Coordinates of all heavy atoms in Angstrom, one line a residue:
M1 N 41.8 -8.4 47.4 CA 40.6 -8.9 46.7 C 39.4 -8.1 47.1 O 39.2 -7.8 48.3 CB 40.5 -10.4 47.1 CG 39.3 -11.0 46.5 SD 39.1 -12.7 46.8 CE 39.9 -13.4 45.5
L2 N 38.6 -7.8 46.1 CA 37.4 -7.0 46.4 C 36.3 -8.0 46.8 O 36.1 -9.1 46.3 CB 37.0 -6.3 45.1 CG 37.9 -5.2 44.6 CD1 37.4 -4.7 43.3 CD2 38.0 -4.1 45.6
S3 N 35.5 -7.5 47.8 CA 34.3 -8.2 48.2 C 33.1 -7.9 47.4 O 32.9 -6.7 47.1 CB 34.1 -7.9 49.7 OG 32.8 -8.5 50.1
I4 N 32.4 -8.9 47.0 CA 31.2 -8.6 46.1 C 29.9 -8.4 47.0 O 28.9 -8.2 46.5 CB 31.0 -9.7 45.1 CG1 30.7 -11.0 45.7 CG2 32.1 -9.7 44.1 CD1 30.2 -12.1 44.8
A5 N 30.1 -8.6 48.3 CA 28.9 -8.4 49.2 C 28.3 -7.1 49.1 O 27.1 -6.9 49.0 CB 29.3 -8.8 50.6
A6 N 29.1 -6.0 49.0 CA 28.6 -4.7 48.9 C 27.8 -4.5 47.6 O 26.8 -3.8 47.5 CB 29.7 -3.7 49.1
L7 N 28.4 -5.0 46.5 CA 27.7 -4.9 45.2 C 26.4 -5.7 45.2 O 25.5 -5.3 44.6 CB 28.7 -5.4 44.1 CG 29.9 -4.6 43.9 CD1 30.8 -5.3 42.8 CD2 29.6 -3.2 43.5
Q8 N 26.4 -6.8 45.9 CA 25.2 -7.6 45.9 C 24.0 -6.9 46.6 O 22.9 -6.9 46.1 CB 25.4 -9.0 46.6 CG 24.3 -9.9 46.5 CD 24.0 -10.4 45.1 OE1 24.9 -10.4 44.2 NE2 22.8 -10.8 44.8
A9 N 24.3 -6.1 47.6 CA 23.3 -5.4 48.3 C 22.7 -4.3 47.4 O 21.5 -4.1 47.5 CB 23.9 -4.8 49.6
V10 N 23.5 -3.7 46.6 CA 23.0 -2.7 45.7 C 22.0 -3.3 44.7 O 21.0 -2.8 44.3 CB 24.1 -2.0 45.0 CG1 23.6 -1.1 43.9 CG2 25.0 -1.2 46.0
V11 N 22.3 -4.5 44.2 CA 21.5 -5.2 43.2 C 20.2 -5.6 43.8 O 19.2 -5.5 43.1 CB 22.3 -6.4 42.6 CG1 21.4 -7.2 41.7 CG2 23.5 -5.9 41.9
T12 N 20.2 -6.1 45.0 CA 19.0 -6.7 45.6 C 18.1 -5.7 46.4 O 17.1 -6.1 47.0 CB 19.3 -7.9 46.4 OG1 20.2 -7.5 47.5 CG2 19.9 -9.0 45.6
V13 N 18.6 -4.4 46.5 CA 17.8 -3.5 47.3 C 16.4 -3.3 46.8 O 15.4 -3.3 47.5 CB 18.6 -2.1 47.4 CG1 17.7 -1.1 48.0 CG2 19.8 -2.3 48.2
N14 N 16.3 -3.1 45.5 CA 15.0 -2.8 44.9 C 14.7 -3.9 43.8 O 15.1 -3.7 42.7 CB 15.0 -1.4 44.3 CG 13.6 -1.0 43.9 OD1 12.6 -1.8 44.0 ND2 13.4 0.2 43.4
P15 N 14.1 -5.0 44.2 CA 13.9 -6.1 43.2 C 13.0 -5.7 42.0 O 13.0 -6.4 41.0 CB 13.3 -7.2 44.0 CG 12.7 -6.5 45.2 CD 13.5 -5.3 45.5
S16 N 12.2 -4.6 42.1 CA 11.3 -4.3 41.1 C 12.0 -3.6 39.9 O 11.4 -3.3 38.9 CB 10.1 -3.5 41.6 OG 10.6 -2.2 42.0
V17 N 13.2 -3.2 40.1 CA 14.0 -2.5 39.0 C 14.1 -3.5 37.9 O 14.5 -4.6 38.0 CB 15.3 -2.0 39.5 CG1 16.1 -1.5 38.4 CG2 15.1 -0.9 40.6
G18 N 13.9 -3.0 36.7 CA 14.0 -3.9 35.5 C 12.7 -4.5 35.0 O 12.7 -5.0 33.9
E19 N 11.7 -4.4 35.8 CA 10.4 -4.9 35.4 C 9.6 -3.8 34.8 O 9.8 -2.6 35.2 CB 9.7 -5.5 36.6 CG 10.3 -6.8 37.2 CD 9.5 -7.4 38.2 OE1 8.3 -7.1 38.3 OE2 10.1 -8.2 39.0
P20 N 8.8 -4.1 33.8 CA 8.0 -3.0 33.2 C 7.0 -2.4 34.1 O 6.4 -3.0 35.0 CB 7.3 -3.7 32.0 CG 7.3 -5.1 32.4 CD 8.5 -5.4 33.2
S21 N 6.9 -1.1 34.0 CA 5.9 -0.3 34.8 C 4.5 -0.6 34.2 O 4.3 -1.2 33.1 CB 6.2 1.1 34.8 OG 6.0 1.7 33.5
D22 N 3.5 -0.1 34.9 CA 2.1 -0.3 34.5 C 1.9 0.5 33.1 O 1.2 0.0 32.3 CB 1.1 0.3 35.5 CG 1.1 -0.7 36.7 OD1 1.4 -1.8 36.6 OD2 0.6 -0.2 37.8
A23 N 2.5 1.6 33.0 CA 2.4 2.4 31.8 C 3.0 1.7 30.6 O 2.5 1.6 29.5 CB 3.0 3.8 31.9
E24 N 4.2 1.0 30.8 CA 4.8 0.3 29.8 C 4.0 -1.0 29.4 O 3.9 -1.3 28.2 CB 6.2 -0.2 30.2 CG 7.2 1.0 30.3 CD 8.5 0.6 31.0 OE1 8.5 -0.3 31.8 OE2 9.5 1.2 30.6
L25 N 3.4 -1.6 30.4 CA 2.5 -2.8 30.1 C 1.3 -2.3 29.3 O 0.8 -3.0 28.4 CB 2.1 -3.5 31.4 CG 3.2 -4.2 32.1 CD1 2.7 -4.7 33.4 CD2 3.8 -5.4 31.2
D26 N 0.7 -1.2 29.6 CA -0.4 -0.6 28.9 C 0.0 -0.3 27.4 O -0.8 -0.6 26.5 CB -1.0 0.6 29.6 CG -1.7 0.3 30.9 OD1 -2.1 -0.9 31.1 OD2 -1.8 1.3 31.7
A27 N 1.2 0.2 27.2 CA 1.6 0.5 25.9 C 1.8 -0.8 25.1 O 1.5 -0.8 23.9 CB 2.9 1.3 25.9
I28 N 2.3 -1.8 25.7 CA 2.5 -3.1 25.0 C 1.1 -3.7 24.7 O 0.9 -4.2 23.5 CB 3.3 -4.1 25.9 CG1 4.7 -3.6 26.1 CG2 3.2 -5.5 25.3 CD1 5.5 -4.3 27.1
E29 N 0.2 -3.6 25.6 CA -1.1 -4.1 25.3 C -1.8 -3.3 24.2 O -2.5 -3.9 23.3 CB -2.0 -4.0 26.6 CG -3.4 -4.6 26.4 CD -4.2 -4.6 27.7 OE1 -3.6 -4.5 28.8 OE2 -5.4 -4.7 27.6
W30 N -1.6 -2.0 24.2 CA -2.1 -1.1 23.1 C -1.6 -1.5 21.7 O -2.3 -1.5 20.7 CB -1.7 0.3 23.5 CG -2.2 1.4 22.5 CD1 -1.5 1.9 21.5 CD2 -3.5 2.1 22.6 NE1 -2.3 2.9 20.9 CE2 -3.5 3.0 21.5 CE3 -4.6 2.0 23.4 CZ2 -4.5 3.8 21.3 CZ3 -5.6 2.8 23.1 CH2 -5.6 3.7 22.1
E31 N -0.3 -1.9 21.7 CA 0.3 -2.2 20.4 C 0.3 -3.7 20.1 O 0.9 -4.1 19.1 CB 1.8 -1.8 20.4 CG 2.0 -0.3 20.5 CD 3.4 0.2 20.7 OE1 4.3 -0.7 20.7 OE2 3.6 1.4 20.8
M32 N -0.3 -4.5 20.9 CA -0.3 -6.0 20.7 C -0.8 -6.4 19.3 O -0.2 -7.3 18.7 CB -1.1 -6.7 21.8 CG -0.9 -8.2 21.8 SD 0.8 -8.8 21.8 CE 1.3 -8.3 23.4
P33 N -1.9 -5.9 18.8 CA -2.3 -6.3 17.4 C -1.2 -6.1 16.4 O -1.0 -6.9 15.5 CB -3.5 -5.5 17.1 CG -4.1 -5.0 18.5 CD -2.9 -4.9 19.4
L34 N -0.5 -5.0 16.5 CA 0.6 -4.7 15.5 C 1.7 -5.7 15.8 O 2.3 -6.2 14.8 CB 1.1 -3.3 15.7 CG 2.3 -2.9 14.8 CD1 2.0 -3.1 13.3 CD2 2.7 -1.5 15.1
I35 N 2.0 -6.0 17.0 CA 3.1 -6.9 17.4 C 2.8 -8.3 16.8 O 3.7 -8.9 16.2 CB 3.3 -7.0 18.9 CG1 3.9 -5.6 19.4 CG2 4.3 -8.1 19.2 CD1 3.9 -5.5 20.9
L36 N 1.6 -8.7 17.0 CA 1.2 -10.1 16.4 C 1.2 -10.1 14.9 O 1.6 -11.1 14.3 CB -0.2 -10.4 17.0 CG -0.3 -10.7 18.5 CD1 -1.8 -10.9 18.9 CD2 0.6 -11.8 18.9
A37 N 0.8 -9.0 14.3 CA 0.9 -9.0 12.8 C 2.3 -9.0 12.3 O 2.6 -9.7 11.3 CB 0.2 -7.7 12.3
E38 N 3.2 -8.3 13.0 CA 4.6 -8.4 12.7 C 5.2 -9.8 12.9 O 6.1 -10.2 12.1 CB 5.4 -7.3 13.4 CG 5.1 -5.9 13.0 CD 5.7 -4.8 13.8 OE1 6.2 -5.1 15.0 OE2 5.9 -3.7 13.3
V39 N 4.8 -10.5 13.9 CA 5.2 -11.8 14.1 C 4.8 -12.7 13.0 O 5.5 -13.6 12.5 CB 4.8 -12.3 15.5 CG1 5.0 -13.8 15.7 CG2 5.5 -11.6 16.6
D40 N 3.5 -12.6 12.6 CA 3.0 -13.4 11.4 C 3.8 -13.1 10.2 O 4.1 -14.0 9.4 CB 1.6 -13.1 11.2 CG 0.7 -13.7 12.3 OD1 1.1 -14.5 13.0 OD2 -0.5 -13.2 12.4
L41 N 4.2 -11.8 9.9 CA 5.0 -11.5 8.8 C 6.4 -12.1 8.9 O 6.9 -12.7 7.9 CB 5.1 -10.0 8.6 CG 6.0 -9.5 7.5 CD1 5.6 -10.0 6.2 CD2 6.1 -7.9 7.6
L42 N 6.9 -12.1 10.0 CA 8.3 -12.7 10.2 C 8.2 -14.2 10.0 O 9.1 -14.8 9.3 CB 8.8 -12.4 11.6 CG 10.2 -12.8 11.9 CD1 11.2 -12.2 11.0 CD2 10.5 -12.5 13.4
D43 N 7.1 -14.8 10.5 CA 7.0 -16.3 10.3 C 6.8 -16.6 8.8 O 7.4 -17.5 8.3 CB 5.7 -16.8 11.0 CG 5.9 -16.9 12.5 OD1 7.1 -16.8 13.0 OD2 4.9 -17.0 13.2
A44 N 6.1 -15.8 8.1 CA 5.9 -16.0 6.6 C 7.2 -15.8 5.9 O 7.5 -16.5 4.9 CB 4.8 -15.0 6.1
E45 N 8.0 -14.8 6.3 CA 9.3 -14.6 5.6 C 10.3 -15.7 6.0 O 11.1 -16.1 5.1 CB 9.9 -13.2 6.0 CG 9.1 -12.1 5.4 CD 9.5 -10.7 5.9 OE1 10.1 -10.6 7.0 OE2 9.2 -9.7 5.3
I46 N 10.3 -16.2 7.2 CA 11.2 -17.3 7.6 C 11.0 -18.5 6.8 O 11.9 -19.2 6.4 CB 11.1 -17.6 9.1 CG1 11.7 -16.4 9.9 CG2 11.7 -18.9 9.5 CD1 11.5 -16.5 11.4
V47 N 9.7 -18.8 6.4 CA 9.4 -20.0 5.7 C 10.1 -19.9 4.3 O 10.5 -21.0 3.8 CB 7.9 -20.1 5.5 CG1 7.5 -21.1 4.4 CG2 7.2 -20.5 6.8
T48 N 10.2 -18.7 3.8 CA 10.8 -18.6 2.4 C 12.3 -18.6 2.4 O 12.9 -18.5 1.3 CB 10.2 -17.4 1.7 OG1 10.7 -16.2 2.4 CG2 8.7 -17.4 1.6
L49 N 13.0 -18.6 3.6 CA 14.4 -18.5 3.6 C 15.2 -19.7 3.1 O 16.2 -19.6 2.4 CB 14.9 -18.2 5.0 CG 14.6 -16.8 5.5 CD1 15.1 -16.7 7.0 CD2 15.2 -15.7 4.7
D50 N 14.7 -20.9 3.4 CA 15.5 -22.1 3.1 C 15.0 -22.8 1.8 O 15.5 -23.9 1.5 CB 15.5 -23.0 4.3 CG 14.1 -23.5 4.6 OD1 13.1 -22.9 4.2 OD2 14.0 -24.5 5.4
R51 N 14.0 -22.3 1.1 CA 13.5 -22.9 -0.1 C 12.9 -21.9 -1.0 O 12.6 -20.8 -0.6 CB 12.5 -24.0 0.2 CG 11.2 -23.5 0.9 CD 10.3 -24.6 1.2 NE 9.2 -24.2 2.1 CZ 8.1 -23.7 1.7 NH1 7.8 -23.5 0.4 NH2 7.1 -23.3 2.5
P52 N 12.8 -22.2 -2.3 CA 12.2 -21.2 -3.2 C 10.7 -20.9 -2.8 O 10.0 -21.8 -2.4 CB 12.3 -21.9 -4.5 CG 13.3 -23.0 -4.4 CD 13.3 -23.4 -2.9
A53 N 10.4 -19.7 -2.9 CA 9.0 -19.3 -2.5 C 8.0 -19.8 -3.6 O 8.2 -19.6 -4.8 CB 8.9 -17.8 -2.4
T54 N 7.0 -20.4 -3.1 CA 5.9 -20.8 -4.0 C 4.9 -19.7 -4.1 O 5.0 -18.7 -3.4 CB 5.2 -22.1 -3.5 OG1 4.6 -21.8 -2.2 CG2 6.2 -23.2 -3.3
M55 N 3.9 -19.8 -5.0 CA 2.9 -18.8 -5.1 C 2.1 -18.7 -3.8 O 1.7 -17.6 -3.4 CB 1.9 -19.2 -6.2 CG 2.5 -18.9 -7.6 SD 1.4 -19.4 -9.0 CE -0.1 -18.5 -8.6
L56 N 1.9 -19.8 -3.1 CA 1.2 -19.7 -1.8 C 2.1 -19.0 -0.8 O 1.5 -18.2 0.0 CB 0.9 -21.2 -1.3 CG 0.1 -21.3 0.0 CD1 -1.3 -20.7 -0.2 CD2 0.0 -22.7 0.4
D57 N 3.4 -19.2 -0.8 CA 4.3 -18.4 0.1 C 4.2 -16.9 -0.2 O 4.2 -16.1 0.8 CB 5.7 -18.9 0.0 CG 5.9 -20.4 0.5 OD1 5.1 -20.8 1.4 OD2 6.8 -21.1 0.1
E58 N 4.3 -16.6 -1.4 CA 4.2 -15.2 -1.8 C 2.9 -14.6 -1.4 O 2.9 -13.4 -0.9 CB 4.4 -15.1 -3.3 CG 5.8 -15.4 -3.8 CD 5.9 -15.4 -5.3 OE1 4.9 -15.1 -6.0 OE2 7.0 -15.8 -5.8
R59 N 1.8 -15.3 -1.5 CA 0.5 -14.8 -1.1 C 0.5 -14.6 0.4 O 0.0 -13.6 0.9 CB -0.6 -15.7 -1.5 CG -2.0 -15.2 -1.3 CD -3.1 -16.1 -1.7 NE -2.8 -16.7 -3.0 CZ -3.4 -17.8 -3.5 NH1 -4.3 -18.4 -2.7 NH2 -3.2 -18.2 -4.7
R60 N 1.1 -15.5 1.2 CA 1.1 -15.5 2.6 C 1.9 -14.2 3.1 O 1.5 -13.5 4.0 CB 1.7 -16.7 3.2 CG 1.7 -16.8 4.7 CD 2.2 -18.1 5.2 NE 2.2 -18.1 6.7 CZ 3.1 -18.7 7.4 NH1 4.0 -19.5 6.8 NH2 3.0 -18.6 8.7
V61 N 3.0 -14.0 2.4 CA 3.9 -12.8 2.8 C 3.1 -11.6 2.5 O 3.1 -10.6 3.3 CB 5.2 -12.9 2.1 CG1 6.0 -11.6 2.2 CG2 6.1 -14.1 2.6
R62 N 2.5 -11.5 1.3 CA 1.8 -10.3 0.9 C 0.6 -10.0 1.8 O 0.5 -8.9 2.2 CB 1.3 -10.5 -0.6 CG 0.6 -9.2 -1.1 CD 0.3 -9.4 -2.6 NE -0.6 -10.5 -2.8 CZ -0.3 -11.6 -3.5 NH1 0.9 -11.7 -4.0 NH2 -1.2 -12.6 -3.7
R63 N -0.1 -11.0 2.2 CA -1.2 -10.8 3.2 C -0.7 -10.4 4.5 O -1.3 -9.5 5.2 CB -2.1 -12.1 3.3 CG -2.9 -12.4 2.1 CD -3.7 -13.6 2.3 NE -4.6 -13.8 1.1 CZ -5.3 -14.9 0.9 NH1 -5.3 -15.9 1.9 NH2 -6.0 -15.0 -0.1
A64 N 0.4 -11.0 5.0 CA 1.0 -10.6 6.3 C 1.5 -9.1 6.2 O 1.3 -8.4 7.2 CB 2.1 -11.5 6.6
R65 N 2.1 -8.7 5.1 CA 2.5 -7.3 4.9 C 1.3 -6.4 5.0 O 1.3 -5.3 5.6 CB 3.3 -7.1 3.6 CG 4.7 -7.5 3.7 CD 5.4 -7.1 2.4 NE 6.7 -7.7 2.4 CZ 7.3 -8.3 1.4 NH1 6.6 -8.4 0.2 NH2 8.5 -8.8 1.5
N66 N 0.2 -6.7 4.3 CA -1.0 -5.9 4.3 C -1.6 -5.8 5.7 O -2.1 -4.8 6.0 CB -2.0 -6.5 3.3 CG -1.6 -6.2 1.8 OD1 -0.7 -5.4 1.5 ND2 -2.1 -7.1 0.9
R67 N -1.5 -6.9 6.4 CA -2.1 -6.9 7.8 C -1.2 -6.0 8.7 O -1.8 -5.2 9.5 CB -2.1 -8.3 8.3 CG -2.7 -8.3 9.7 CD -2.9 -9.7 10.2 NE -3.2 -9.7 11.6 CZ -2.7 -10.5 12.5 NH1 -1.9 -11.5 12.2 NH2 -3.1 -10.4 13.8
V68 N 0.1 -6.0 8.5 CA 1.0 -5.1 9.3 C 0.6 -3.6 8.9 O 0.5 -2.8 9.9 CB 2.5 -5.4 9.0 CG1 3.3 -4.3 9.6 CG2 2.8 -6.7 9.6
L69 N 0.5 -3.3 7.7 CA 0.1 -2.0 7.3 C -1.2 -1.5 7.8 O -1.4 -0.4 8.3 CB 0.2 -1.8 5.8 CG 1.5 -2.0 5.1 CD1 1.4 -2.0 3.6 CD2 2.4 -0.8 5.5
A70 N -2.2 -2.4 7.8 CA -3.5 -2.1 8.3 C -3.4 -1.9 9.8 O -4.1 -1.0 10.4 CB -4.5 -3.2 8.0
E71 N -2.7 -2.7 10.6 CA -2.6 -2.5 12.0 C -1.8 -1.3 12.3 O -2.2 -0.6 13.3 CB -1.9 -3.7 12.6 CG -2.7 -5.0 12.6 CD -4.0 -4.9 13.4 OE1 -4.1 -4.1 14.3 OE2 -4.9 -5.7 13.1
R72 N -0.8 -0.9 11.6 CA -0.1 0.4 11.8 C -1.1 1.5 11.6 O -1.1 2.5 12.3 CB 1.1 0.5 10.9 CG 2.3 -0.3 11.3 CD 3.4 -0.1 10.3 NE 4.5 -1.0 10.7 CZ 5.6 -1.2 9.9 NH1 5.7 -0.6 8.8 NH2 6.5 -2.0 10.3
R73 N -1.9 1.5 10.5 CA -2.8 2.5 10.3 C -3.8 2.6 11.4 O -4.1 3.7 11.9 CB -3.6 2.2 9.0 CG -4.6 3.2 8.6 CD -5.6 2.7 7.6 NE -6.3 1.6 8.1 CZ -6.7 0.5 7.4 NH1 -6.3 0.3 6.2 NH2 -7.3 -0.5 8.0
D74 N -4.4 1.5 11.9 CA -5.3 1.5 12.9 C -4.7 2.0 14.2 O -5.4 2.8 15.0 CB -5.9 0.1 13.2 CG -6.7 -0.4 12.0 OD1 -7.1 0.4 11.2 OD2 -7.0 -1.6 11.9
L75 N -3.5 1.6 14.5 CA -2.8 2.1 15.7 C -2.6 3.6 15.7 O -2.8 4.3 16.6 CB -1.5 1.4 15.9 CG -0.7 1.7 17.1 CD1 -1.4 1.3 18.4 CD2 0.7 1.1 17.1
T76 N -2.2 4.1 14.5 CA -2.1 5.6 14.3 C -3.4 6.3 14.5 O -3.4 7.3 15.1 CB -1.5 5.9 12.9 OG1 -0.2 5.2 12.8 CG2 -1.2 7.3 12.7
N77 N -4.4 5.7 13.9 CA -5.8 6.4 14.1 C -6.2 6.4 15.5 O -6.8 7.4 16.0 CB -6.8 5.7 13.2 CG -6.6 5.9 11.7 OD1 -5.9 6.9 11.3 ND2 -7.1 5.1 10.9
R78 N -6.0 5.3 16.2 CA -6.4 5.2 17.6 C -5.6 6.2 18.5 O -6.1 6.8 19.4 CB -6.2 3.8 18.2 CG -7.2 2.8 17.7 CD -7.1 1.5 18.5 NE -5.7 1.0 18.3 CZ -5.4 -0.2 17.9 NH1 -6.3 -1.1 17.6 NH2 -4.1 -0.6 17.8
A79 N -4.3 6.4 18.1 CA -3.5 7.3 18.9 C -4.0 8.7 18.6 O -4.0 9.6 19.5 CB -2.0 7.2 18.5
G80 N -4.3 9.0 17.4 CA -4.9 10.3 17.0 C -6.2 10.6 17.7 O -6.4 11.7 18.2
L81 N -7.0 9.6 17.9 CA -8.3 9.8 18.6 C -8.1 10.0 20.1 O -8.7 10.8 20.7 CB -9.2 8.6 18.3 CG -9.9 8.5 17.0 CD1 -10.7 7.2 16.9 CD2 -10.8 9.7 16.7
A82 N -7.1 9.3 20.6 CA -6.8 9.4 22.0 C -6.3 10.8 22.4 O -6.6 11.4 23.4 CB -5.8 8.4 22.5
R83 N -5.4 11.4 21.5 CA -4.9 12.7 21.7 C -6.0 13.8 21.5 O -6.0 14.8 22.2 CB -3.8 13.0 20.7 CG -2.5 12.5 21.1 CD -1.3 13.0 20.3 NE -0.3 12.0 20.2 CZ 0.0 11.4 19.1 NH1 -0.5 11.8 17.9 NH2 1.0 10.5 19.1
A84 N -6.9 13.5 20.6 CA -8.0 14.5 20.4 C -9.1 14.4 21.4 O -10.1 15.1 21.3 CB -8.5 14.3 19.0
G85 N -9.0 13.5 22.3 CA -10.0 13.3 23.3 C -11.2 12.5 22.8 O -12.3 12.6 23.4
G86 N -11.0 11.7 21.8 CA -12.0 10.9 21.3 C -13.0 11.6 20.4 O -14.0 11.1 19.9
V87 N -12.8 12.9 20.1 CA -13.6 13.7 19.2 C -13.1 13.6 17.8 O -12.0 13.9 17.5 CB -13.7 15.1 19.7 CG1 -14.6 15.9 18.7 CG2 -14.2 15.2 21.1
A88 N -14.0 13.2 16.9 CA -13.5 13.0 15.5 C -14.2 14.1 14.6 O -15.3 14.5 14.8 CB -13.8 11.6 15.0

């Protein structure tokens, strides 16, 4: 029978493994407006899954899609400015 004690020591040697780094947390924060817009779009689409979409539902989905597109555009523009050193 194999002992799992040796395997357990490997798992618990470095408890910070698996947690996001500071750079990853910064990237998530940078993309948070887009993430929230995509969550809103998903919520709007979920509402229409179990019943026929009303005009209000269609408008909500359309606005959510437009918000996602706008956030993607803004994120791309911010990334371009960051690469260019903020000079436009």
